[in-house]
Amino acid sequence: MTNQEITINNLLQIKQSIKLKKPLIHCITNPISINDCANMVLAVGAKPIMAEHPLEVSEITRVSKSLGVNLGNITDNRMESMLISGKVAFENKIPQVIDLVGVGCSKLRLNYAKKFISECNPSVIKGNMSEIKAVCGMKSNSKGIDVGACDIVTEQNSDESIEMMKALSLRTGAVVVATGVIDIITDGNNTYLITNGCEMLSMITGTGCMLTALIASYISYGNILDGTVLATTLMGICGELSQHVKGTGSFRTELIDNMFSISDDMIIKKIQYKLK
């Protein structure tokens, strides 16, 4: 059995375990994508809870199997709640992921993200390459919450981006994810380049937030790197399976449907990644 086969078997085992165990996943996300995030968690067999009041998030995180926080459409209340939940997750060894939405274009979000990473030690740090560069203290060319054209990862420039991400991973102890045409995932030692996906994933709002909710679901299994790889490849594959539709509205529906119904055989057939 090849290393790739071993990895795919690990991914499928995580997928099945989540369906059987139905873990509670605490997501503190933004109102733009909250419904789709909850439905994505349900689609893979987990149970979402989207609590964000500062007076209750501590106890809710404590009984959850993982935590996902998202900086999109940020508010004072959500900032307070995410920090409370992040500290509870860290103290109780509950896996957690932070989505760095907008840190490349907002000093408020960037400074907050650095504080969260320092004080809460998330298991996964996720963003587009402009956002990852901003957190690393490098010049970011973000276009709002989207990656800037100068920061897009290609086969030709991927080595520099990978080294930057490895350094961030080793410094923080987190698995680092940079999403894009090529998704890069690293734990500082092992690095995956994932090429599943389609352009329509960038044409509806909230697909990045949905991926964060998927990562939160699958890292609840306890294997942070493999859970992150599984979530990222599944989002790409389901995007590919959903793109032959009339338009973006039906694409959104198909995306959730395919996440619910995708078979192991289809994953094995469609998965595209390589170890770097």
Side-chain angles (χ1 to χ4, degrees):
M1 183 177 287
T2 66
N3 288 336
Q4 186 177 40
E5 287 171 335
I6 292 170
T7 300
I8 292 173
N9 283 339
N10 289 344
L11 301 186
L12 297 179
Q13 182 179 358
I14 294 170
K15 176 176 174 283
Q16 183 63 23
S17 178
I18 298 307
K19 285 184 177 293
L20 291 173
K21 295 182 178 179
K22 303 187 185 305
L24 182 66
I25 311 300
H26 186 191
C27 299
I28 305 179
T29 189
N30 60 78
I32 300 164
S33 64
I34 191 168
N35 185 64
D36 287 337
C37 289
N39 281 325
M40 274 295 182
V41 173
L42 287 166
V44 299
K47 297 293 183 182
I49 185 165
M50 318 303 279
E52 63 175 57
H53 196 290
L55 297 182
E56 69 172 2
V57 292
S58 176
E59 58 190 307
I60 289 172
T61 298
R62 193 170 283 111
V63 299
S64 299
K65 294 301 181 183
S66 73
L67 170 69
V69 302
N70 179 303
L71 304 189
N73 192 239
I74 200 68
T75 65
D76 288 343
N77 264 8
R78 211 174 300 126
M79 288 171 71
E80 181 182 357
S81 295
M82 289 190 294
L83 203 58
I84 292 169
S85 286
K87 290 178 179 178
V88 168
F90 177 54
E91 291 165 2
N92 290 274
K93 297 182 171 59
I94 297 167
Q96 57 176 313
V97 51
I98 180 173
D99 192 341
L100 305 172
V101 181
V103 299
C105 64
S106 164
K107 289 183 180 178
L108 172 70
R109 298 191 204 191
L110 178 59
N111 291 335
Y112 179 82
K114 290 179 177 179
K115 178 181 176 69
F116 186 97
I117 292 167
S118 174
E119 297 184 8
C120 303
N121 295 276
S123 315
V124 181
I125 298 170
K126 170 191 168 287
N128 62 43
M129 189 52 71
S130 292
E131 292 160 349
I132 298 295
K133 287 176 72 172
V135 165
C136 290
M138 300 178 66
K139 182 183 177 182
S140 170
N141 300 286
S142 67
K143 188 175 181 180
I145 64 169
D146 295 323
V147 66
C150 297
D151 297 332
I152 293 173
V153 177
T154 65
E155 293 277 359
Q156 290 71 35
N157 68 12
S158 63
D159 287 347
E160 182 180 351
S161 298
I162 289 169
E163 291 307 311
M164 176 186 65
M165 291 174 62
K166 282 183 175 180
L168 177 61
S169 178
L170 293 172
R171 176 168 61 84
T172 61
V175 168
V176 179
V177 184
T179 57
V181 176
I182 300 173
D183 299 313
I184 304 174
I185 302 174
T186 186
D187 64 357
N189 297 304
N190 304 288
T191 301
Y192 291 83
L193 274 63
I194 299 166
T195 53
N196 289 112
C198 67
E199 186 178 3
M200 287 191 78
L201 284 167
S202 66
M203 296 173 68
I204 62 170
T205 190
T207 51
C209 306
M210 293 180 227
L211 175 55
T212 302
L214 286 177
I215 292 173
S217 299
Y218 285 127
I219 65 174
S220 69
Y221 181 80
N223 187 325
I224 305 301
L225 180 60
D226 283 2
T228 304
V229 170
L230 173 60
T232 306
T233 53
L234 274 181
M235 179 61 84
I237 292 169
C238 290
E240 293 169 7
L241 295 173
S242 306
Q243 63 184 323
H244 303 294
V245 291
K246 182 178 180 180
T248 53
S250 49
F251 174 79
R252 173 176 167 271
T253 301
E254 284 289 313
L255 184 65
I256 297 172
D257 282 351
N258 280 311
M259 192 64 67
F260 175 79
S261 62
I262 190 167
S263 67
D264 290 356
D265 287 343
M266 183 60 72
I267 295 170
I268 293 168
K269 178 182 178 181
K270 289 284 191 179
I271 192 168
Q272 297 181 48
Y273 73 89
K274 64 180 180 179
L275 287 166
K276 185 76 172 182

